[in-house]
Structure formats: C-alpha cells, structure tokens
C-alpha cells in the first residue's frame, strides 16, 4: 500500500504544482471598475475614483467628497480547440459581485488626507478546455505504465495490461477530455492617500486576500471502432476481453490567503498632466490544496473500479514577484488620454513547502521557474471623451499581457480591446459600463510531451457595470 501511495504521489505532483500555478496568481486581474476597464485599465495616473485601490492608492487624494460604489461583472471564457483532426468549441460563464467601496476625505487645513475601505473581487479563474479525437499515436493507458515489473499501477489493477508486459492498447482510441477551472480572489482592501506636498500624493493599499480555485480533469479513452474487440488484455484474467473504455478523473481544490501591499505616488502638473508610479511588493499566498483521483475501466459493458481512490492534502506557499508601473495622462480636446507601462519579472516566482512537499521537488520547481520564465513589459492605452451637454463619457482602450514563457512567440501574448461609457444620472451619481474582448493562443499536453497535444484559440469576454455616488 505504501508503494501505491508513493507512485500516486508522483502523479499528484506532476498534475498539481506546475509553472502555471505560479503564473495564475502572479498575472494581474482585470480589476473591478467599469470606468477603468473601458479605458483599457490605463488608469495608474488617473485614479481619481474608487478604482485607485486597484491601480494607484495615491489617487485617492484627488477625491474631495465621500464616495460609495458597487458593481457587478460577468466573465465568458470561450475555447476553440484543435485536437488531431477535430475541432471542439466550448465556453464557461461566471457572474460576480465585483465591489462595494466607500471613500472618506478627512477635513484638512491644507492638502488632503483620504481613507477608503473596499470589498472586491479582482481576479477570476474561469477556464474551460474540451476536446475529443482518435489518437493515432499513443494512449494514456500505456503512458501510465512507468515500470513493467510494477504490479501496483492503475493499468495493471484494472486488467488493462498483463504482468510484466505493456498494454496492447497502444493507439487508435477515441480520447475525450474535459478540463475546467473556476474560482476567484476576494479582497478586503484598506487604502489611504496623503498630499505630502502641493499636488504630490503618496498612497498605500493593503489587501487582505482570500480565495478559492478548483481544477477538474476528466480523461476518457474508448475503442469506438472495435479495434481491440475480442482481445484479452491480460491473458490471466478472462474478464479483460472486449475492452470498452477507460476513465481517469482528477480534481484539485485550493483554499488560499495572502496579504498584499502596494505603494503609489501621483503628481498633478497643474492642469496639464498627471504622472503616476506604483510598486507592488511580492505577495506570499498560503495554499491548502486537496487532491483526489479515481479511475475505472469497462469490459463487455461491465465496469471495473480502481480499488484505491487516492486523496491527499498538502500545504505550501507561492510567492509572486514585485511589479512596477509608471504612467502618464493628459486632458485635451475634452478627452482624457492615458498610458501605463508595467514591469514584472516572473522568473522571481517561488514556491515554499509547508507540509507534504519534498525539498527536492521544491528545488526542481523553483529551478524550472528560473529556466522557463522571463521578465515582461505590459502596456495599457486608453481614452475617455466627455460630452458635457448630455453628461456622457465615451471610453476605449487596449491592454497587453505578454507571455511569461521564454519560448513563446507573440501569438501567445494576451491582447484585449475595451470600450465603455459613463452617464451622469444626477450631478453626483453616475452609471458606468465597460466591456472587454480578449484573445490569445495556447498549447496543452494531456500527458507526456506532444503525445496528446491540443492547440487552443481562446476568446475572453468581460462585462462590468457599476454605480457610484458622491455626497
């Protein structure tokens, strides 16, 4: 039994802690403000409303009245997957309460001092990848056999292979894969801004983060053409004749918590321009991970279940890298123009063991991060045009989120076009709408390297609405 657990623990590590886990927490979300998203999130030097929590807390110093806001958002992840000679399209949707925020400017004799409190969801993990095709080259059943003399692996227990021999099921099975991810990061944010000199503001944002993440993987192999009909896979067991299908299911659940810190500066150059700077410190996410897997096979329409449904629980930390943003904005021709440039070194991601991971695994993971990932610059561009007569503000923008992998070309960079509008319901209350359309490519291996590879064309749609009022 101990040997079984050791082997399955190896499977767990290969499925659970991967480079993408560190990136999942390190990539910046799209935030929660429909106004900023409509401007392509080029908001670091603007930050003159509640979204300063997310972009530049120094901008809170520009708020002169109390402000209350709340909003909703909707995410749609669409994936068009090419797998051998077939193409499958699927999508997954999610709706969140994006934020509830309150900002209070304290009375001062000179300058400004502003504090705020916000509950917000700033990152969504919704993803889906479904595909199916006959694999003419390999099977997952054969891949799971690491050692022919091992009598504890899944194919042997499910009589998919004989003792000391590989499985006859080597190719031409229909493979059906359903991978889903969901969850989000929720923050209770406390932020403040102080005008430390005329038109120069300094701000701090502290986020108390908790969240959840779930990844479900279902892998099915079927002999739909009867290629192996009549073949006894394990001659010592007649029940192994007339193979129908094999199913392997895995699931990961995270509960996570962290505290993050962001420092910002914002300078107002008269009525000409604003300049912003933020430093986001490395954030240490404490993760409790629960993993489970099970398998079964069917012969002659009679199911055979793997007798050991494996579960495990580990605790570890993922430390995300620091990031730096510089920005500028100006107001001309009744239009606000803004530009942000963000730097992140993803090779600084680290994992630390708390409980259940070996020192050797942690070292290999961190070495892999250094070898595979790189530093990147991301650009946000946006504009907001004011039509004062009717209280309407029209917005548009563009976002880049470049791939952190050294080996990726530009097709793997995430690109987003955005637009939106704001409408003044009264002198102090406004309704805001923002929409995002993103697209990028990705590649996935169901097992091994290029044995069961899929090619993905992803589109990502986000809709955000919100109401804010000042009093």
């Amino acid at each position: 039994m101990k040997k079984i657990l050791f082997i399955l623990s190896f499977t767990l590590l290969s499925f659970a802690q991967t480079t993408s886990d560190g990136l999942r927490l390190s990539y910046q979300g799209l935030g929660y403000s429909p106004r900023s998203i409509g401007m392509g999130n080029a908001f670091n030097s603007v930050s003159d409303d509640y979204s300063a929590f997310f972009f530049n807390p120094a901008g809170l110093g520009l708020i002169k009245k109390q402000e209350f806001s709340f909003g909703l958002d909707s995410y749609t992840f669409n994936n068009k997957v090419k797998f051998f000679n077939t193409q499958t399209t699927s999508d997954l949707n999610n709706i969140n309460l994006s934020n509830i925020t309150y900002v209070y400017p304290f009375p001062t004799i000179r300058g400004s001092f502003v504090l705020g409190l916000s509950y917000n969801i700033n990152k969504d993990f919704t993803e889906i990848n479904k595909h199916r095709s006959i694999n003419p080259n390999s099977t997952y059943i054969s891949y799971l056999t690491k050692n022919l003399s091992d009598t504890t692996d899944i194919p042997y227990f499910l009589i998919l292979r004989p003792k000391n021999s590989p499985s006859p099921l080597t190719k031409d099975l229909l493979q059906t894969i359903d991978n889903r991810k969901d969850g989000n990061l929720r923050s209770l944010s406390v932020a403040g801004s102080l005008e430390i000199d005329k038109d120069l503001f300094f701000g701090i944002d502290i986020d108390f983060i908790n969240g959840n993440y779930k990844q479900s993987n279902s892998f099915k192999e079927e002999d739909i053409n009867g290629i192996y009909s009549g073949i006894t896979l394990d001659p010592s067991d007649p029940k192994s004749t007339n193979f129908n299908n094999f199913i392997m299911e895995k699931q990961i659940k995270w509960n996570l918590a962290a505290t993050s810190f962001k420092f910002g500066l914002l300078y107002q150059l008269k009525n000409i321009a604003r300049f912003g700077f933020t430093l986001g410190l490395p954030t240490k996410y404490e993760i409790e991970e629960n993993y489970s897997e099970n398998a079964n096979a069917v012969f002659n329409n009679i199911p055979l279940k793997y007798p050991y449904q494996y579960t495990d629980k580990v605790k570890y930390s993922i430390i995300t890298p620091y990031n730096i943003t510089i920005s500028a904005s100006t107001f001309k021709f009744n239009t606000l123009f803004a530009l942000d440039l963000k730097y992140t070194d993803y090779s600084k991601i680290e994992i630390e063991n708390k409980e259940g991971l070996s020192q050797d695994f942690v070292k290999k993971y961190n070495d892999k991060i250094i070898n595979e990932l790189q530093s990147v610059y991301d650009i946000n561009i946006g504009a907001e045009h004011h039509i004062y007569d009717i209280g309407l503000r029209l917005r548009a923008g563009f976002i880049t989120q470049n791939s952190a992998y050294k080996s990726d070309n530009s097709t793997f960079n995430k690109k987003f076009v955005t637009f939106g509008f704001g409408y003044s319901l009264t002198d102090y209350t406004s309704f805001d709408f923002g929409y995002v359309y993103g697209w990028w490519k990705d590649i996935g291996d169901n097992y091994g390297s290029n044995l069961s590879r899929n090619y993905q064309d992803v589109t990502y749609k986000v809709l955000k609405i919100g109401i804010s009022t000042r009093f």
Side-chain angles (χ1 to χ4, degrees):
M1 186 64 179
K2 288 184 178 178
K3 193 173 185 182
I4 293 173
L5 293 181
F6 173 80
I7 292 170
L8 291 178
S9 293
F10 179 83
T11 304
L12 158 65
L13 294 179
S14 65
F15 178 65
Q17 294 82 27
T18 64
T19 305
S20 61
D21 291 322
L23 290 174
R24 183 177 302 112
L25 297 175
S26 299
Y27 280 139
Q28 186 177 33
L30 292 174
Y32 44 85
S33 164
R35 182 189 175 200
S36 63
I37 204 70
M39 293 179 59
N41 277 348
F43 218 70
N44 185 272
S45 63
V46 181
S47 293
D48 54 4
D49 63 16
Y50 65 92
S51 54
F53 283 82
F54 186 78
F55 294 99
N56 187 346
L60 290 174
L62 299 168
I63 298 176
K64 304 304 180 184
K65 293 180 178 291
Q66 296 180 64
E67 182 178 53
F68 175 79
S69 65
F70 71 93
L72 300 170
D73 52 30
S74 169
Y75 296 84
T76 300
F77 188 97
N78 180 277
N79 203 348
K80 185 184 295 182
V81 184
K82 182 181 179 182
F83 184 49
F84 291 104
N85 61 345
T86 65
Q87 184 169 281
T88 305
T89 301
S90 56
D91 58 63
L92 195 62
N93 305 295
N94 195 17
I95 297 176
N96 296 316
L97 169 68
S98 61
N99 85 97
I100 300 175
T101 305
Y102 174 71
V103 178
Y104 182 80
F106 285 82
T108 57
I109 297 174
R110 182 174 58 184
S112 68
F113 174 55
V114 182
L115 294 178
L117 182 68
S118 175
Y119 170 80
N120 55 78
I121 296 177
N122 57 61
K123 188 178 292 187
D124 186 272
F125 296 133
T126 300
E127 290 186 25
I128 190 169
N129 179 349
K130 295 175 68 174
H131 49 279
R132 71 196 308 255
S133 181
I134 291 176
N135 186 332
N137 304 319
S138 70
T139 66
Y140 191 31
I141 294 167
S142 294
Y143 177 79
L144 287 172
T145 303
K146 303 296 182 183
N147 185 346
L148 293 179
S149 63
D150 183 8
T151 58
T152 62
D153 63 17
I154 290 174
Y156 181 79
F157 264 98
L158 292 179
I159 55 175
L160 296 166
R161 73 172 183 89
K163 186 176 181 179
N164 298 319
S165 298
S167 174
L169 303 170
T170 57
K171 62 179 182 177
D172 295 325
L173 296 181
L174 175 67
Q175 296 183 337
T176 303
I177 294 90
D178 187 343
N179 295 328
R180 297 168 185 259
K181 302 174 183 178
D182 61 64
N184 54 46
L185 291 183
R186 304 173 293 275
S187 298
L188 179 64
S189 304
V190 180
S193 175
L194 178 67
E195 189 172 3
I196 57 177
D197 202 348
K198 182 175 173 54
D199 296 327
L200 179 62
F201 303 86
F202 171 75
I204 301 175
D205 172 71
I206 305 173
D207 293 340
F208 302 96
I209 303 168
N210 68 83
N212 61 283
Y213 168 74
K214 183 172 76 172
Q215 178 178 343
S216 301
N217 172 282
S218 175
F219 192 105
K220 184 176 183 179
E221 289 186 315
E222 300 174 86
D223 184 17
I224 61 170
N225 293 321
I227 296 174
Y228 300 95
S229 178
I231 297 177
T232 302
L233 302 184
D234 182 355
S236 68
D237 194 330
K239 294 194 300 293
S240 66
T241 306
N242 293 327
F243 167 79
N244 297 132
N245 63 67
F246 165 75
I247 299 176
M248 182 82 174
E249 294 180 332
K250 304 177 183 180
Q251 187 176 90
I252 291 176
K253 290 184 178 181
W254 281 3
N255 290 313
L256 53 89
T259 303
S260 69
F261 298 87
K262 185 190 296 104
F263 301 91
L265 288 170
L266 190 146
Y267 178 63
Q268 173 82 52
L269 180 61
K270 299 181 180 180
N271 292 323
I272 300 173
R274 291 179 190 166
F275 302 94
F277 169 86
T278 55
L279 170 65
L281 298 184
T283 301
K284 187 174 186 177
Y285 287 88
E286 305 290 350
I287 299 171
E288 291 186 2
E289 177 178 290
N290 290 280
Y291 173 86
S292 63
E293 66 178 24
N294 61 78
N296 65 76
V298 178
F299 298 88
N300 274 323
N301 298 316
I302 300 174
L304 176 64
K305 189 173 180 61
Y306 183 63
Y308 305 104
Q309 182 176 2
Y310 180 70
T311 61
D312 196 16
K313 183 176 181 179
V314 295
K315 297 179 181 180
Y316 55 95
S317 303
I318 290 179
I319 304 171
T320 63
Y322 71 91
N323 58 79
I324 294 173
T325 302
I326 58 174
S327 59
S329 59
T330 187
F331 192 83
K332 299 288 184 183
F333 314 110
N334 293 337
T335 305
L336 174 63
F337 301 95
L339 172 68
D340 288 8
L341 178 64
K342 182 180 180 181
Y343 170 82
T344 310
D345 186 356
Y346 292 105
S347 68
K348 302 299 184 184
I349 296 171
E350 290 185 61
I351 188 172
E352 291 181 353
N353 177 47
K354 295 294 183 182
E355 180 183 319
L357 301 181
S358 69
Q359 290 183 347
D360 182 61
F361 174 80
V362 170
K363 183 180 184 303
K364 288 180 179 179
Y365 180 97
N366 289 330
D367 288 344
K368 188 177 182 182
I369 290 289
I370 294 172
N371 293 330
E372 291 186 357
L373 303 187
Q374 62 183 346
S375 59
V376 302
Y377 291 92
D378 294 321
I379 296 175
N380 301 67
I381 302 172
E384 178 184 67
H385 180 68
H386 291 240
I387 306 176
Y388 292 104
D389 292 344
I390 57 175
L392 185 65
R393 299 167 297 281
L394 303 177
R395 302 165 185 139
F398 183 73
I399 303 171
T400 65
Q401 194 175 78
N402 293 320
S403 173
Y405 288 96
K406 295 177 181 178
S407 59
D408 281 355
N409 59 46
S410 59
T411 61
F412 296 94
N413 295 339
K414 297 180 180 181
K415 298 164 281 288
F416 307 85
V417 292
T418 75
F419 66 87
F421 67 86
Y423 180 72
S424 297
L425 301 175
T426 69
D427 290 341
Y428 301 106
T429 303
S430 65
F431 170 81
D432 291 283
F433 169 90
Y435 182 80
V436 182
Y437 180 86
W439 70 96
W440 61 89
K441 293 184 181 294
D442 205 350
I443 291 176
D445 283 315
N446 296 313
Y447 55 87
S449 177
N450 206 20
L451 298 176
S452 181
R453 179 165 290 182
N454 57 88
Y455 299 85
Q456 306 166 43
D457 279 307
V458 177
T459 57
Y460 191 54
K461 303 169 187 176
V462 182
L463 186 152
K464 295 180 181 287
I465 59 173
I467 292 178
S468 61
T469 184
R470 293 185 176 181
F471 49 94

